[in-house]
């Protein structure tokens, strides 16, 4: 059914705008595709547009839009679109074909690349960056397209478009419209004109607009004099060799990510280090009794100052590159690295190689608009801190980030994981509008924070909070959490010379039980080891503490720590609904021993039984889940540790952390196996890792059968709102797709229902 309204005199559409032809289409299935294809032909034919704009006969419009394609006006003769030898072929999955919404998604992705992109369907070829051109193809559901690309980033573009088409281009089958009164999550902001983009991994959602500034947490200090010239020359050679290796790694990484053109700067940096005069001048300083570091610093400083004084702006600009190369070598030669506090004069987007817990402890959130790190991953300390402070953040962008000049204006999109540099005034304005819209959305989410997370088809997800302090229990309730899914008890043991007493622990647990006023409290027993150490434990040094005595292993060998904590937990259980959870269970024997200690403690205080669960954090626990489920009441999956143990990637490693993504299909398959084993035993499964607080992760976990998500407090309201706008059937369909993906990037590129993820 088509309804047309000719308007020869023009109609006011928006203030100051007039239209002469309005076409409304109501159609079933894919019968509108022919109309759309014909409409695109009409729009590029000026004579036909003029005729239709002045007609008083609706039949003229009907004929123009419904006649056979071969009779439709053809595109004016111009540059002929050609085929390229570099191509892929993909099948359009959506039943309704490549209509306006998926075509727009295709074009948006294509425009992110510099190469030319053409799309062939049958005998027609379209410009992949033009919506009108793409719609002219009239692609129906199930059709096969040949996507062709030509240019420096052609291969990357083809893979991105292939993944997007295979994930449906945003067209989920069976997606239900939003219910009246239910707010749809804000769509991702997209720029139109920026200088360049630095891609990374989303760590904390939100938009930040402002200048970038490096986190200078170290001041390089070198000794001026040295007694052994031969040793200093050897140190110099080793430092230069290490710097060259770093530059080669940078070149390869940026080349694979952004093309050889963007990576060429690191080849130029390497050429600086291959300059024999730099080495010779430094060696002369060493022969005079100065250290390698001091000599190198003086030579570089003199060269940089000389280059800055030249009239040639190109050569003067290279002084920045030489200075950067000089620092790269100097770090290898430094004897002292003095901490310098990060204190910007105004709010900035902070960029850093990575941040340690001590780094973040000294930050002033009022001066940090956003965080962007070269290293780290979605489960890194930076990501966790950013989410807890509600600061937009991106991690894992790669070392090229560290070459940005302080003061460069940028827009950080924590949702998409991209840092946009030198945006246009229009993009800054649209980003500020998106910020305001996002703030309104957050306010609406906060007002609805106490409402349960019911999906559109009536399925309820339990949303609870992760806390690390007694005072945070009340904060969790105020934020809309339906209880505490993870109490990290380490706060009672850290930063002290001796372990806390049983009474001290009981007082803290009792305070939380009272604050929760009947809501459940899951207390995880002491999880020390790995990246957390206690001076009074006197543990021997370990080559890999993540594979050593940590979690339940430490508790079992130190009953003097374990039993007092268990007694304090059982005493608190007499005040309200408390559950015990054991960390790092790897074997059935671990669990049996923990349960034996717990029963001993229970009998000693005279408390009744409480529900007991375990953390699923290692692959062996997943493979033994059917056996473990017989002995406990619930599982809680710690996706942060499960990710690093499954992928064999230390989530704190500077080079690997960004690849340790909890949305990797291998990790999701671990979750799937765990849920299946638990369901067969009639037990429930929660997740208390970082993936639970990721909007995409929350949807996938629900689709995999997880029934409880435990999040950082600031994430509770947003995740609840997100889950209210989708159906569990959509989540299950998406989870099935995710399990079949090859890597985390493909999982993140899937078309998520509800938008905004």
């Amino acid at each position: 059914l088509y309804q047309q309204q000719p308007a020869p005199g023009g109609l006011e559409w928006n203030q100051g705008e007039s239209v002469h032809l309005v076409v409304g289409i109501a159609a079933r299935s894919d019968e509108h595709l022919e109309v759309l294809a014909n409409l695109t032909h009409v729009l590029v034919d000026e004579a036909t547009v003029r005729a239709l704009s002045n007609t008083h006969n609706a039949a003229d419009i009907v004929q123009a839009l419904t006649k056979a394609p071969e009779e439709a006006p053809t595109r004016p003769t111009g540059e002929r679109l050609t085929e390229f030898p570099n191509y892929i072929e993909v099948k359009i999955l959506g039943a309704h074909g490549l209509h306006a919404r998926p075509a727009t998604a295709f074009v948006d992705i294509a425009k992110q690349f510099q190469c030319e992109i053409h799309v062939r369907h049958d005998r027609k070829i379209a410009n992949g960056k033009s919506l009108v051109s793409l719609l002219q193809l009239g692609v129906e559901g199930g059709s096969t397209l040949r996507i062709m690309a030509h240019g420096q980033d052609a291969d990357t573009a083809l893979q991105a478009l292939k993944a997007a088409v295979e994930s449906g281009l945003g067209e989920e089958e069976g997606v239900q419209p939003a219910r009246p009164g239910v707010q749809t999550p804000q769509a991702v902001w997209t720029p139109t004109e920026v200088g360049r983009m630095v891609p990374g991994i989303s760590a904390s959602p939100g938009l930040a607009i402002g200048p970038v500034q490096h986190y200078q947490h170290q001041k390089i200090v070198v000794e001026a004099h040295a007694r052994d010239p031969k040793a200093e020359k050897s140190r110099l050679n080793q430092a230069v060799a290490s710097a060259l290796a770093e530059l080669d790694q940078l070149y390869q990484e940026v080349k694979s990510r952004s093309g050889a053109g963007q990576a060429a700067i690191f080849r130029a940096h390497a050429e600086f280090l291959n300059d024999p005069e730099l080495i010779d001048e430094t060696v002369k300083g060493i022969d005079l009794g100065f250290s390698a570091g001091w000599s190198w610093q003086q030579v570089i400083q003199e060269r940089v100052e000389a280059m800055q004084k030249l009239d040639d702006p190109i050569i003067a600009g290279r002084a920045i590159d030489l200075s950067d190369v000089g620092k790269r070598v100097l770090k290898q030669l430094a004897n002292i690295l003095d901490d310098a506090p990060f204190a910007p004069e105004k709010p900035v987007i902070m960029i850093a190689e990575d941040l340690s817990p001590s780094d973040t402890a000294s930050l002033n959130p009022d001066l940090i608009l956003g965080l962007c790190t070269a290293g780290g991953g979605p489960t890194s300390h930076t990501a966790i801190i950013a989410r807890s402070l509600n600061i937009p953040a991106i991690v894992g962008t790669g070392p090229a980030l560290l070459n940005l000049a302080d003061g460069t204006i940028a827009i950080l999109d924590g949702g998409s994981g991209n840092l946009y540099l030198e945006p246009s005034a229009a993009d800054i304005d649209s980003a500020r509008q998106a910020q305001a819209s996002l703030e309104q959305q957050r306010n609406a989410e906060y007002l609805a924070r106490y409402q349960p997370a019911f999906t559109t088809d009536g399925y309820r997800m339990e949303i609870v909070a992760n806390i690390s302090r007694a005072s945070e229990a009340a904060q969790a309730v105020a934020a809309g959490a339906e209880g505490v899914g993870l109490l990290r008890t380490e706060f009672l043991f850290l930063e002290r010379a001796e372990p806390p007493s049983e009474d001290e622990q009981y007082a803290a647990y009792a305070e939380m039980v009272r604050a929760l006023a009947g809501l459940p409290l899951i207390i995880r027993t002491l999880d020390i080891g790995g990246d957390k150490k206690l001076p009074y434990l006197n543990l021997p040094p370990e080559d890999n503490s993540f594979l050593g005595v940590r979690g339940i292993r430490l508790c079992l060998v130190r009953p003097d720590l374990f039993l007092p904590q268990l007694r304090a937990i059982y005493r608190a259980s007499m005040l309200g609904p408390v559950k015990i959870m054991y960390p790092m269970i790897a074997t059935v024997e671990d669990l049996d021993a923990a349960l034996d200690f717990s029963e001993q403690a229970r009998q000693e205080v005279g408390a009744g039984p409480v529900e007991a669960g375990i953390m699923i954090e290692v692959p062996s626990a997943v493979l033994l889940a059917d056996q473990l489920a017989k002995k406990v009441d619930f599982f809680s999956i710690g996706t942060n540790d499960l990710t690093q143990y499954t992928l064999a990637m230390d989530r704190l490693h500077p080079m690997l952390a960004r690849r340790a993504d909890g949305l990797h299909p291998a990790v999701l398959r671990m979750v799937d196996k765990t849920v299946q084993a638990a369901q067969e035993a009639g037990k429930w499964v929660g997740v208390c890792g970082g993936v639970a607080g990721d909007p995409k992760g929350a949807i996938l976990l629900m689709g995999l059968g997880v029934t409880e998500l435990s999040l950082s407090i600031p994430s509770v309201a947003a995740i609840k709102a997100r889950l209210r706008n989708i159906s569990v059937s959509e989540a299950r369909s998406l989870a099935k797709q995710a399990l079949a993906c090859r890597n985390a990037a493909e999982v993140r590129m899937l078309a998520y229902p509800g938008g905004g993820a």
Side-chain angles (χ1 to χ4, degrees):
L1 173 65
Y2 312 109
Q3 179 66 47
Q4 304 82 19
Q5 173 60 54
L11 295 172
E12 185 175 9
W13 197 252
N14 293 310
Q15 187 173 1
E17 296 180 359
S18 296
V19 298
H20 294 269
L21 176 64
V22 178
V23 180
I25 304 174
R28 294 185 305 273
S29 184
D30 58 359
E31 64 181 18
H32 64 298
L33 290 174
E34 180 184 346
V35 179
L36 282 175
N38 290 338
L39 178 60
T40 58
H41 287 292
V42 167
L43 293 178
V44 297
D45 184 43
E46 294 183 7
T48 302
V49 169
R50 283 196 302 270
L52 296 181
S53 297
N54 290 283
T55 183
H56 289 271
N57 185 1
D60 294 339
I61 300 174
V62 173
Q63 182 181 9
L65 297 180
T66 58
K67 58 188 172 183
E70 58 271 18
E71 300 173 8
T74 58
R75 178 174 176 156
T77 303
E79 182 181 358
R80 183 175 180 271
L81 296 179
T82 59
E83 296 196 53
F84 301 134
N86 194 6
Y87 69 87
I88 57 171
E89 292 188 342
V90 292
K91 186 176 181 179
I92 297 297
L93 301 179
H96 306 316
L98 200 62
H99 60 90
R101 283 192 299 273
T104 300
F106 186 101
V107 171
D108 286 344
I109 295 170
K111 286 182 176 179
Q112 295 178 19
F113 300 93
Q114 297 180 3
C115 62
E116 293 181 77
I117 297 173
H118 292 172
V119 180
R120 176 171 180 166
H121 174 52
D122 293 335
R123 290 175 295 176
K124 300 178 184 177
I125 300 177
N127 180 354
K129 298 184 179 182
S130 168
L131 180 61
V132 170
S133 180
L134 207 57
L135 288 174
Q136 284 182 326
L137 295 178
V139 180
E140 299 178 354
S143 299
T144 297
L145 298 182
R146 173 173 291 189
I147 305 174
M148 304 167 285
H150 176 70
Q152 64 178 11
D153 53 0
D155 291 337
T156 306
L158 289 177
Q159 292 305 312
L161 290 168
K162 180 176 184 290
V165 172
E166 290 178 346
S167 67
L169 289 169
E171 285 293 286
E172 280 291 309
E173 293 297 319
V175 173
Q176 300 178 11
R179 291 176 293 168
V182 177
Q183 184 177 9
T184 299
Q186 179 70 29
V188 176
W189 171 81
T190 303
T192 58
E193 185 180 354
V194 294
R196 56 194 173 111
M197 180 185 76
V198 178
I201 300 171
S202 172
S204 181
L207 286 170
I209 308 166
V212 303
Q213 184 167 331
H214 287 262
Y215 178 61
Q216 301 291 352
H217 65 292
Q218 292 178 328
K219 179 181 179 181
I220 302 175
V221 179
V222 293
E223 296 289 346
H225 299 280
R227 296 181 179 179
D228 188 347
K230 183 177 180 181
E232 291 302 300
K233 292 175 184 177
S234 176
R235 291 183 65 211
L236 174 65
N237 291 334
Q238 291 176 3
V240 171
S242 296
L244 284 169
E246 289 179 0
L247 288 169
D248 182 65
Q249 179 184 341
L250 269 171
Y251 174 82
Q252 298 298 337
E253 180 178 329
V254 177
K255 179 182 177 182
S256 64
R257 183 192 295 268
S258 305
Q262 294 292 330
I265 184 62
F266 301 111
R267 285 286 190 244
H269 282 198
E271 286 302 313
F272 280 128
L273 292 182
N274 289 324
D275 183 349
E277 290 186 5
L278 283 179
I279 306 298
D280 291 344
E281 291 295 324
T282 304
V283 169
K284 288 179 182 178
I286 294 174
D287 288 336
L288 293 174
F290 295 102
S291 71
W294 189 90
S295 301
W296 176 264
Q297 190 176 46
Q298 297 304 308
V299 171
I300 291 294
Q301 186 174 339
E302 290 173 3
R303 295 290 184 95
V304 168
E305 290 176 353
M307 292 173 72
Q308 289 174 334
K309 294 177 182 178
L310 296 176
D311 293 332
D312 189 332
I314 296 178
I315 298 178
R318 296 301 294 273
I320 298 175
D321 296 323
L322 179 58
S323 177
D324 181 72
V325 171
K327 290 179 181 177
R328 191 176 298 279
V329 175
L330 194 59
K331 287 180 181 179
Q332 307 281 342
L333 298 170
N335 295 319
I336 304 173
L337 293 175
D338 284 343
D339 288 336
F342 182 75
E345 297 179 356
K346 58 183 180 180
V348 297
I349 295 173
M350 191 180 80
I351 58 178
E353 185 171 359
D354 206 350
L355 296 172
S356 67
S358 58
D359 293 332
T360 55
S362 62
L363 295 180
N364 181 356
D366 294 335
L367 293 175
I368 309 299
L369 300 171
L371 293 174
C372 187
T373 62
T379 61
S380 66
H381 181 79
T382 303
I384 295 170
I385 288 295
R387 287 193 291 268
S388 68
L389 296 176
N390 206 21
I391 296 175
I394 300 170
V395 295
T397 62
L401 174 78
L402 305 180
N403 292 294
L404 297 180
D406 282 352
T408 302
I409 300 300
I411 299 175
L412 183 150
D413 186 350
S416 68
N418 294 322
L419 180 69
Y420 299 99
L421 303 171
E422 301 171 358
S424 65
D427 278 326
I428 292 176
D429 183 59
S430 68
R432 294 199 186 282
Q433 293 178 30
Q435 272 186 325
S437 177
L438 189 60
E439 182 64 22
Q440 292 177 356
Q441 178 184 331
R442 293 290 175 258
N443 291 337
E445 292 169 354
Y446 184 75
L447 291 174
R449 65 192 183 281
Y450 295 125
Q451 297 177 16
F454 278 108
T455 63
T456 57
D457 49 1
Y459 180 85
R460 179 174 180 172
M461 280 292 287
E462 185 177 1
I463 307 298
V464 292
N466 300 330
I467 66 173
S468 301
R469 293 286 186 276
S471 60
E472 292 177 351
Q475 297 173 20
V477 175
E482 298 163 329
V484 170
L486 169 62
L487 166 60
R488 302 181 181 95
T489 57
E490 293 76 53
F491 78 95
L492 290 165
F493 293 79
L494 296 171
E495 300 177 1
R496 56 191 302 154
E498 58 184 17
S501 67
E502 177 184 326
D503 287 342
E504 186 179 352
Q505 294 184 65
Y506 166 71
Y509 304 149
E511 178 184 343
M512 286 179 266
V513 172
R514 295 187 183 102
L516 291 171
L519 294 175
L521 170 64
I522 299 179
I523 302 177
R524 184 179 70 185
T525 57
L526 182 62
D527 188 14
I528 290 292
D531 57 336
K532 300 187 287 285
K533 303 184 187 304
L534 298 179
Y536 53 82
L537 290 181
N538 297 318
L539 292 174
E542 298 178 321
D543 291 336
N544 191 329
S545 57
F546 282 107
L547 299 179
V549 180
R550 62 169 301 196
I552 199 64
R553 294 171 184 166
L554 173 64
C555 292
L556 295 179
V557 299
R558 291 292 302 268
D560 59 313
L561 294 176
F562 197 28
L563 281 170
Q565 181 176 44
L566 290 170
R567 286 194 295 266
I569 293 173
Y570 275 106
R571 288 169 61 187
S573 73
M574 292 186 277
L575 302 177
V578 169
K579 304 174 185 179
I580 297 177
M581 183 160 66
Y582 309 111
M584 291 301 298
I585 295 293
T587 67
V588 176
E589 290 77 11
D590 288 342
L591 177 56
D592 286 340
L595 291 173
D596 288 343
F597 275 116
S598 298
E599 180 59 20
Q600 177 184 338
R602 185 188 72 80
Q603 292 183 14
E604 289 175 357
V605 301
V610 302
E611 289 189 27
I614 63 171
M615 297 279 291
I616 300 290
E617 300 168 277
V618 295
S620 64
V622 176
L623 297 175
L624 293 170
D626 58 337
Q627 298 296 322
L628 296 169
K630 298 174 182 178
K631 296 174 176 288
V632 295
D633 299 293
F634 65 91
F635 290 153
S636 185
I637 302 174
T639 53
N640 296 352
D641 273 327
L642 183 60
T643 298
Q644 73 171 350
Y645 289 121
T646 299
L647 300 179
M649 293 179 182
D650 185 346
R651 59 190 176 97
L652 304 179
H653 193 286
M655 293 178 61
L656 299 177
R658 67 180 181 276
R659 296 171 57 190
D661 192 335
L663 293 191
H664 194 286
V667 181
L668 296 178
R669 291 184 185 188
M670 289 286 187
V671 174
D672 185 44
K673 289 181 180 295
T674 302
V675 171
Q676 289 182 32
Q679 289 178 342
E680 289 177 3
K683 308 298 171 62
W684 61 270
V685 179
V687 169
C688 59
V691 174
D694 182 326
K696 294 178 179 179
I699 294 173
L700 291 174
L701 293 173
M702 182 172 70
L704 290 171
V706 170
T707 58
E708 180 223 62
L709 300 177
S710 194
L711 327 167
S712 63
I713 293 174
S715 301
V716 169
I719 294 298
K720 274 184 154 185
R722 185 61 195 275
L723 296 180
R724 292 189 199 108
N725 281 278
I726 66 172
S727 68
V728 71
S729 60
E730 290 172 322
R732 288 169 180 163
S733 173
L734 190 72
K736 185 177 181 180
Q737 295 179 50
L739 293 175
C741 288
R742 295 174 299 175
N743 51 50
E746 288 187 5
V747 174
R748 290 190 175 277
M749 290 185 67
L750 293 173
Y752 287 78

